[in-house]
Every structure is written in C-alpha cells, then in structure tokens.
Amino acid sequence: SLASTAITCFTRGLDLRKGTEDVLCPANCPLWQFYVFGDGVYASLSSICGAAIHRGVITNAGGAVRVQTLPGQENYPAVNANGIQSQVLSRWASSFSVTAGTKDTALEAVGRSVSTARPSTGKRPKKTLDKKAGNKDCKADIAFLIDGSYNIGQRRFNLQKNFVGKVAVMLGIGTEGPHVGVVQASEHPKIEFYLKNFTAAKEVLFAIKELGFRGGNSNTGKALKHTAQKFFSLENGARKGIPKIIVVFLDGWPSDDLEEAGIVAREFGVNVFIVSVAKPTTEELGMVQDIGFVDKAVCRNNGFFSYQMPTWFGTTKYVKPLVQKLCSHEQMLCSKTCYNSVNIGFLIDGSSSVGESNFRLVLEFVSNVAKAFEISDIGSKVAAVQFTYDQRTEFSFTDYVTKEKVLSAIRNIRYMSGGTATGDAISFTTRNVFGPVKDGPNKNFLVVLTDGQSYDDVRAPAAAAQKAGITVFSVGVAWAPLDDLKDMASEPRESHTFFTREFTGLEQMVPDIIRGICKDFLDSKQ
C-alpha cells in the first residue's frame, strides 16, 4: 500500500502534489481555526483535515484520509456540518474531495511523527514543506507594475498577464521565498494585491488571471511614485532586510514623466527595473516627454535594470533571464540608502564648561539625528562616547539594535564633568568603537560635539580617523575655536563644520547633519 503522508491541521489541498494522495490527520485540531470552502467538493484553499471532519470522514481524533484532486468550479456553498461552518467562495482554480483512507496505511503511519508535515517515504522527502517555503535563495519583495493603458489594449494586456504569471511561478514564491504583489498603471494607479495577500504561486496565478483591464493614459510615473511610497510598508507585508523591487512593464511609451518617480523610488530604497515591450515608433517618439525615460527611472543606468522584449508573443524564453536578475540580491544597488546603511558615532563633550542643562540639549540633538535613521541589526547603527580628559563608551554599535533602545540609552547618559581632551577622545573612538565594525558593510560617520578649546592636538587623531574610512562632522558650540573644528572635519571642510553660539542653536542643525550624512553616502556610491 502507499505510505501515508503525515500532515498538519493547516495543510491545504493546494499543498499536495499528486492527483490522489493518502494523508494522516493529527488529533485535536482546533475546529474554530479551520478554513473550509464548499461541501463535498472543497476549494483547494481549504484545510484537508477540516474538510475531512466537515464531511464526516474522520472525527477530531484524526485519522487516515484519501484526497482526490478535482477541477476548479464556481460557487462553493457554505454548509454547517460536524461542528465546522464552511464558507462560500465564488470560484477557485482547483478543488478536492475526501474519502476514508485505508486502515493499513493508517497503521503504517502511526509509528511516525504525526504532528509534522513531512512525508515519511524515503523517496521524496520534505516536498510538501519545501513547496510552501519557496525558493529561499531568492530574496525579494516585488511589485509588478503592469501597463493597463489604452496603449496596450485588452488583447496584449492578457498576454502581459500570462508573462507576469510565468515570472511569478518561476520565482518560487513561498513563505521563505520571494513575495509579490501587482499594481496596475493607467489613468490612476490601482494596487491590485499586496505582498502579504498570497504566499503560494498558485494563489498568485489565480489573482493575476482575475485582473481586469482598466484603460486610460499610461501614467506610469504617477503609478511608480505611488508604488514606491505606499506599497512596501510593513503593514502591507514588506519584510525587513529583503530587497524591494518594482518591475515596470511598459508597452510603447509613458504619458507622463518618470524622472521624479525614479528619484523617489531611489530615496525609498526601491530597485526599479523597466521591461519595455515594442519600442515607440518614430511617430510615437514625438509624443514621448523624455526619450531617455528608461535611464531616468531605473535604479542604476548600468544596463542591468532595463530589459527589452520585441513583442508580447513568444515571451517564454524571456522569463528565466528576468527571474535571474530579480533574484540576484547582491546586484540590488538601490536597497542601500543612507538611512539603512550607516554607522554614526557621537563623540560628546562632557567637560565642566558645558553644565547639566546644556548637556541635556546636546543629548536631545544626538537623539534627533539618530531618530532619522533605520536602526536595526541589519540596518544603521549608533554608538556614543562621552569625553573629558577620560573617555567613556556609553554604548557601542552592537549594544542596541532597535531605535527605541538607542534613544532610551541616549536619554540615560550621565553627565561626567571634567577637562577637554578631544584629540585623545577621537583616537579612543576610532580604535574602540569603529575598530570592530571597520570591515562591515555600513559607511562610517563620526559627529564630534564640543564647546571649547582642546588641551591636546586634534589634527593628527582626526586625520587618522579619516584615513580609517570615517567621515568626520564637527559641531562646535560657544567657545569652540573654529580652527579646531575645521582641523577635525572631513573634506570639503565647509560642509562638515558647524558652529552655534548657544546650545539652543543645536536644534536647527539637525536636518543639515542628516542631509550631510546622506549626501556623503550617495557620493561614496557613485
């Protein structure tokens, strides 16, 4: 006899591979958690064990069930049976039925672990699990921005849907693989479904099939900007640390301008690809606002992010090369932004001339700069050192990996009071705080805050810090001599040196420091 596959309470019909399969349901599944659609013939979205209890094939004590795959149908009814209320579904792409499994297969499976979803035959282990997990090597959260304009028309719109469907399947969508959503560009953009809505290729395919053609002008720029700003929120299913990608499909030419949208996407850390099909004809080119629109919109104008197909016919051979691009996460140059890829060390003057209340204003300034960055274990990091004649590491880059913890650590810094040895403090910070992260992926910045003349030389320690790859911003207050500040700052010195007479003036400098860090970050990437 066939050996049964032990499944979980939540395994669905669409998670199985074969036309007929013997499975073993565990005992004591929580009935209220079952999703079941239909009666007798169940939509493949349904839980198998839930359907089996609903049908009366097994009780909540579990047992052997034979699952038979059936074609999809319209109108799955809602029926209450055996403690389970099934739900209505207007149509689904495939179905299944359940009958009692044979006793000997049940016995055979009893000795094995019943609670896991692993098939136990030696032949094809772990298939059910791997299919759900998807292609773990492809790290991507992708928005397909499809062309729904009059340029493309209904017929080619359907060919475009087929192509996007093939790409979605080949990507290997799954819980741990790529996640995708679709936005349709026409007169006004419409987000058709988000990253969080589906985690199986079958469901995505079904959702793509159901998309209706909208028509209207091809306001691709408007749609691209909307997608970059709204689509990738954590609430909508974007995952931390996974590259964000928008694949723009363009049939012919855009009706609006793409340049601004491209800039917004880059600011948001989104990698834009453009797939252009059927280049604009000579007459059409006269209507294009900017002939170089592809170069303006893509993440980097290096050839990697643009893709051409001559027509929508015979596109199968174009699927794999596009998927390979979308899955090569080390090429996603736009994922790194200044907000998520920097280490910022603050070197804070704790000398007696500062005083307790001004020291609070300094900490507020540090907090407001830190707040602007995406602090996480895989994102930006913050460290702080306080100095007098001595130095004290308040916290290092690896101590806190959330923004809340960093801000609370800044608030809790105690004022030391003492002399001023800024040069020593820079050397100490370069060695002890930046030393451990110097080979890491983030760009390093040091913000030195001081209110007076240093007792030691600052020039050599600052030069050594810069040589070690640290960009230095100097922020002086009250009696800090301008020469010292300039000697510490990175080139060009004017844009890395800040000064205010009063501690209350620090607040206005916050946006300038943030902008300065971002500008240096971008310049280093060109």
Side-chain angles (χ1 to χ4, degrees):
S1 67
L2 296 164
S4 299
T5 302
I7 60 174
T8 70
C9 303
F10 307 109
T11 305
R12 300 165 303 178
L14 53 78
D15 297 322
L16 298 184
R17 298 306 283 270
K18 308 189 193 107
T20 306
E21 199 151 341
D22 285 301
V23 298
L24 195 69
C25 286
N28 306 321
C29 287
L31 295 186
W32 53 273
Q33 282 188 0
F34 279 132
Y35 275 99
V36 177
F37 303 88
D39 179 37
V41 174
Y42 300 97
S44 62
L45 266 184
S46 310
S47 149
I48 295 169
C49 301
I53 296 174
H54 184 266
R55 191 77 182 134
V57 169
I58 56 170
T59 65
N60 204 22
V65 177
R66 175 161 284 192
V67 184
Q68 178 74 45
T69 305
L70 301 168
Q73 61 170 42
E74 314 251 323
N75 305 325
Y76 295 89
V79 174
N80 197 328
N82 299 316
I84 291 181
Q85 172 66 57
S86 74
Q87 304 179 48
V88 174
L89 192 61
S90 58
R91 78 148 77 88
W92 194 247
S94 60
S95 318
F96 66 88
S97 64
V98 283
T99 49
T102 47
K103 272 286 166 275
D104 57 338
T105 57
L107 282 172
E108 214 177 307
V110 166
R112 297 191 284 266
S113 156
V114 176
S115 60
T116 66
R118 283 192 182 80
S120 48
T121 50
K123 290 189 275 302
R124 291 175 64 191
K126 297 235 303 242
K127 226 17 190 189
T128 38
L129 269 190
D130 289 350
K131 185 163 183 247
K132 267 191 193 166
N135 177 8
K136 296 181 190 159
D137 296 331
C138 183
K139 299 273 184 254
D141 280 342
I142 303 171
F144 291 113
L145 180 50
I146 61 173
D147 189 338
S149 69
Y150 292 135
N151 282 3
I152 192 170
Q154 178 76 60
R155 179 158 171 249
R156 296 207 303 270
F157 180 77
N158 288 338
L159 293 169
Q160 172 182 231
K161 288 202 307 189
N162 291 347
F163 180 74
V164 172
K166 285 177 189 165
V167 171
V169 170
M170 191 170 249
L171 278 166
I173 294 164
T175 49
E176 296 172 60
H179 292 179
V180 306
V182 170
V183 183
Q184 186 173 168
S186 52
E187 195 69 44
H188 304 291
K190 177 177 185 228
I191 296 181
E192 301 282 3
F193 59 90
Y194 285 104
L195 295 164
K196 66 174 178 194
N197 294 128
F198 308 107
T199 55
K202 273 192 177 169
E203 300 168 7
V204 168
L205 259 178
F206 184 72
I208 290 171
K209 273 205 185 93
E210 296 292 287
L211 295 175
F213 173 60
R214 293 171 68 81
N217 280 321
S218 60
N219 287 330
T220 313
K222 184 176 177 181
L224 177 55
K225 188 173 170 184
H226 180 75
T227 308
Q229 290 171 324
K230 300 279 189 292
F231 181 85
F232 294 101
S233 66
L234 293 172
E235 308 82 84
N236 292 328
R239 295 168 291 175
K240 273 206 171 112
I242 303 280
K244 305 178 180 70
I245 298 173
I246 299 176
V247 183
V248 180
F249 289 94
L250 252 177
D251 185 301
W253 76 98
S255 315
D256 61 353
D257 184 43
L258 292 187
E259 185 169 12
E260 190 205 345
I263 292 168
V264 169
R266 289 189 286 276
E267 270 181 9
F268 275 82
V270 176
N271 300 275
V272 177
F273 282 79
I274 292 205
V275 177
S276 37
V277 185
K279 285 206 177 104
T281 60
T282 331
E283 307 81 88
E284 286 168 358
L285 272 176
M287 303 157 91
V288 179
Q289 290 196 13
D290 181 353
I291 293 178
F293 64 83
V294 172
D295 295 344
K296 301 270 172 59
V298 289
C299 162
R300 287 278 190 287
N301 182 11
N302 60 2
F304 182 76
F305 295 93
S306 48
Y307 198 66
Q308 256 125 16
M309 301 195 297
T311 78
W312 286 111
F313 296 97
T315 54
T316 309
K317 61 176 178 292
Y318 293 101
V319 173
K320 195 173 178 187
L322 180 59
V323 167
Q324 282 168 338
K325 282 181 185 249
L326 299 180
C327 289
S328 46
H329 53 269
E330 63 293 337
Q331 302 268 8
M332 300 300 158
L333 303 173
C334 290
S335 297
K336 291 196 172 306
T337 66
C338 72
Y339 298 109
N340 66 20
S341 304
V342 296
N343 297 324
I344 307 172
F346 291 94
L347 184 52
I348 303 164
D349 185 339
S351 62
S352 26
S353 52
V354 175
E356 186 75 58
S357 62
N358 285 334
F359 189 72
R360 292 287 126 209
L361 292 173
V362 171
L363 294 185
E364 211 155 288
F365 166 83
V366 170
S367 276
N368 288 335
V369 173
K371 217 180 264 172
F373 294 86
E374 293 163 33
I375 300 165
S376 76
D377 51 346
I378 48 174
S380 290
K381 307 213 176 5
V382 171
V385 173
Q386 187 179 173
F387 71 99
T388 53
Y389 281 143
D390 287 323
Q391 304 84 30
R392 181 168 81 200
T393 302
E394 301 290 353
F395 55 92
S396 75
F397 287 123
T398 49
D399 286 345
Y400 303 112
V401 291
T402 67
K403 191 180 290 191
E404 298 71 53
K405 290 204 166 123
V406 164
L407 295 176
S408 116
I410 294 169
R411 273 196 303 276
N412 292 328
I413 292 176
R414 295 247 140 311
Y415 173 47
M416 280 164 75
S417 185
T420 313
T422 315
D424 266 356
I426 293 172
S427 301
F428 171 89
T429 308
T430 303
R431 189 173 59 248
N432 297 330
V433 177
F434 286 97
V437 297
K438 70 170 186 303
D439 300 323
N442 288 0
K443 187 162 168 50
N444 292 313
F445 291 90
L446 175 63
V447 179
V448 182
L449 289 128
T450 178
D451 82 325
Q453 173 92 49
S454 176
Y455 294 124
D456 59 2
D457 169 53
V458 295
R459 194 175 296 180
Q466 291 167 30
K467 202 172 168 202
I470 303 166
T471 302
V472 182
F473 284 87
S474 59
V475 178
V477 191
W479 306 107
L482 205 55
D483 290 348
D484 273 11
L485 296 175
K486 284 211 167 117
D487 284 344
M488 291 189 283
S490 287
E491 300 282 353
R493 298 205 160 151
E494 287 58 52
S495 59
H496 292 83
T497 308
F498 293 86
F499 178 77
T500 170
R501 276 262 159 260
E502 306 290 333
F503 281 89
T504 47
L506 285 170
E507 203 181 334
Q508 287 101 278
M509 291 181 188
V510 170
D512 297 330
I513 298 276
I514 295 165
R515 228 175 279 135
I517 290 173
C518 284
K519 184 179 182 328
D520 287 346
F521 177 84
L522 283 173
D523 291 347
S524 74
K525 290 287 166 233
Q526 291 308 325

